[in-house]
Amino acid sequence: MNASSANPLLSDRDVSFQLYEVLDASGLCALPAFSEHSRETFELLLDNVRRFAREVLFPTYRLMDTEPPAFREGRIHAHPLMRRLYPGMAELGLLTATRPPEVGGQRLPLTVASAASVYLMAANLSAYGYLGLTLGAAHLLEVFGTPWLREEFMARLYRGEWTGTMALTEPQAGSSLADVKTRATPSTDGTYKISGSKIFISGADQDFTENVVHLTLARIEGAPPGTRGISLFAVPTRRPQGGRLVDNDVRVAGAIHKIGWRGLPSCVLNYGEAGDCRGWLVGPEHRGLACMFQMMNEARIMVGLNGVSTASVAYHEALAYARSRPQGRPAGAKDAVQPQAPIIEHADVRRMMLRQKAIVEGGLSLLLAASWQADLAAHAPEEAARRRAGLLLDLLTPVAKTFPAEKGYEANALALQVHGGYGYSSEYLPEAWLRDQKLNSIHEGTTGIQGLDLLGRKAMAAGGEALRIFSEEVAATAARARKAGVEEGWCAAMERTLEAVGALTLTLGSLGMAGEVEQMLRHSADYMELFSIVAVAWRWLEQAAAAREGLARGSEGRDFYEGKLCAAQYWFAVEVPRVPHLVELCRSCEDSYTRMHSEWF
């Protein structure tokens, strides 16, 4: 069965609410960087992207899922649809939407560009994946590349003529980048000869543009061990030489057969099999990982947006199904002659739908809040404001990547469940989105790595300053909520829970300072879970405040605002009470799985 053309992918009303009532996207135009924009220019981008996503991209999703790229004679052959989809996406302007005019950009806020991108991700995340990776690669070259690299590589990436990748992972190292072994040998012409292998490289080869540029981590000969010896290189599949492109000795050694994101190939790459692979240094020697983290952090936000989008499209599919599928009768109804009721009339189906709504719209709010902080970190006029926003963004990034992936998977499973027996059939789409979603908890740093990063680095950064800034933001939200007339119990629970998280973080930080690092990080996964609950509670409290304000204005759409308040009520009644138990697990350093021996399993 083809994708439902009626699926909106996201709620336009919710996106507008998040941008202009929860946040104040129009207020960003007061910043000098965005002074030439207005709500009208924001809406122009959103309208164009929505139309393309719904009318062009979404109908191709099932085709690209069932007919993944083929690996033949050493090349990846993408689905033929990509020959028109990629230029179409590039023409929307998202590759350069947030970039300055000097590189052909519009310098739009990331907050708005993120909201627009979610529509494309929800429509066909594999097709969008090429665009997102290319944007990240081009931005790296913009910031760290030489003038020649910016002219020869970056400009073509931004124009949509080439695509880009991030080539980090190696077969023997996995996520442990300290163990990267790909070698770079200096040449007399200023390039480096690259040799080695990479694995799980998304979009590493395709046949709808003339070239692919791989932003590759490698070690220059004689470099120090560990992450301090890693450098970053731009390695094209075909290199410019004598006014034309020639083979650069980059070989696809195989394709990974994935359960999801099937339209975007994941490849094994071999560099320099013939000894003639050339790369160009990007940024300083031995500082490659620091440069690459720019792209990695952007990619983590992108994965979070993918998680939200994949849960959102499934939620809307399940909602339409639940409203139209008659089955059974209300509890207590005895007359079998009466017509069957739509399944959304059954309490348990409404439970599943409300949980999906709480996850999807809470996750979107969190990602837009992170994007908002990214805009301030880059463009606030005062250095102190930029620093403050940067610290908060760093704190939110692992959460904004992890929550939509982990809870999004749960939401996708519920969307499948709502469809009953049809849900697990391949003729209906929820099973495909469930497969897609699973990859998001692995892409760009697994959930375990994100938990270690959150607790071991971000929450402790600058002596806990990031957490203090987060507390200030929550306090401002609570003040807004009280003024708007939001239930006092929710505000008090938010403050009480945040206080518990602060005290726990101080306790765990003290363990780390005392050298008990293993105990400190033992329950980092539980710390990520509790912090995610709190962060999304913050966003639901903000949404509740905006909903109360909307009701007080007498704005149209009372049902919309009441739905927001009901979802906020759900989060504070069901999720927030879980935090004390998770806090105690972390504080007690409970050791059941750390003392478990391999032989005991």
Side-chain angles (χ1 to χ4, degrees), residues 252-295:
V252 179
I256 311 298
H257 301 284
K258 302 182 293 181
I259 62 168
W261 289 64
R262 298 183 69 195
L264 180 69
S266 181
C267 303
V268 181
L269 281 183
N270 287 343
Y271 297 110
E273 287 183 350
D276 192 30
C277 178
R278 305 302 178 99
W280 284 260
L281 183 66
V282 179
E285 290 186 357
H286 314 319
R287 296 287 297 162
L289 197 57
C291 297
M292 181 60 86
F293 263 115
Q294 172 187 284
M295 188 176 184

Side-chain angles (χ1 to χ4, degrees), residues 401-478:
K401 188 272 183 190
T402 300
F403 173 83
E406 291 290 350
K407 295 305 178 185
Y409 186 75
E410 183 181 339
N412 279 97
L414 289 171
L416 190 152
Q417 185 77 15
V418 167
H419 280 76
Y422 295 107
Y424 56 70
S425 71
S426 60
E427 286 74 26
Y428 283 71
L429 286 166
E431 63 84 23
W433 291 317
L434 183 69
R435 290 188 279 107
D436 288 337
Q437 186 69 276
K438 186 60 239 163
L439 275 65
N440 288 323
S441 63
I442 299 169
H443 280 161
E444 308 310 331
T446 63
T447 296
I449 289 172
Q450 301 301 325
L452 292 169
D453 183 44
L454 175 64
L455 177 55
R457 296 187 184 92
K458 303 304 171 56
M460 304 296 173
E465 186 177 357
L467 197 56
R468 289 195 294 273
I469 294 168
F470 179 64
S471 299
E472 292 169 2
E473 292 292 314
V474 172
T477 297

Side-chain angles (χ1 to χ4, degrees), residues 19 23-25 27-28 110-111 367-377 389:
L19 287 176
L23 300 172
D24 178 20
L28 288 170
L110 180 64
T111 305
L367 265 299
L368 292 180
S371 299
W372 178 277
Q373 295 303 324
D375 283 324
L376 295 181

Side-chain angles (χ1 to χ4, degrees), residues 56 501 520:
V56 179
V501 173
M520 170 193 171

Side-chain angles (χ1 to χ4, degrees), residues 313-366:
V313 66
Y315 163 66
H316 286 289
E317 194 85 354
L319 181 59
Y321 182 86
R323 285 171 169 168
S324 61
R325 166 67 169 167
Q327 184 174 306
R329 292 165 184 82
K334 304 295 185 182
D335 189 354
V337 177
Q338 292 298 314
Q340 294 188 89
I343 61 173
I344 201 165
E345 297 301 321
H346 302 311
D348 193 56
V349 173
R350 290 200 299 275
R351 174 191 65 82
M352 291 188 285
M353 293 308 308
L354 184 56
R355 184 159 184 80
Q356 290 176 70
K357 177 182 176 71
I359 290 169
V360 168
E361 296 175 9
L364 178 61
S365 187
L366 179 62

Side-chain angles (χ1 to χ4, degrees), residues 215-285:
L215 274 295
T216 301
L217 293 181
R219 293 185 185 281
I220 298 172
E221 289 187 356
T227 57
R228 293 176 301 166
I230 295 175
S231 298
L232 178 63
F233 298 88
V235 184
T237 297
R238 305 173 72 204
R239 67 176 184 258
Q241 184 173 302
R244 61 192 181 94
L245 293 176
V246 301
D247 181 79
N248 194 36
D249 196 15
V250 177
R251 300 286 176 261
V252 179
I256 311 298
H257 301 284
K258 302 182 293 181
I259 62 168
W261 289 64
R262 298 183 69 195
L264 180 69
S266 181
C267 303
V268 181
L269 281 183
N270 287 343
Y271 297 110
E273 287 183 350
D276 192 30
C277 178
R278 305 302 178 99
W280 284 260
L281 183 66
V282 179
E285 290 186 357

Side-chain angles (χ1 to χ4, degrees), residues 31 376-377 379-388:
L31 297 177
L376 295 181
H379 300 296
E382 302 83 15
E383 168 60 27
R386 293 194 298 273
R387 180 179 180 277
R388 182 183 188 277

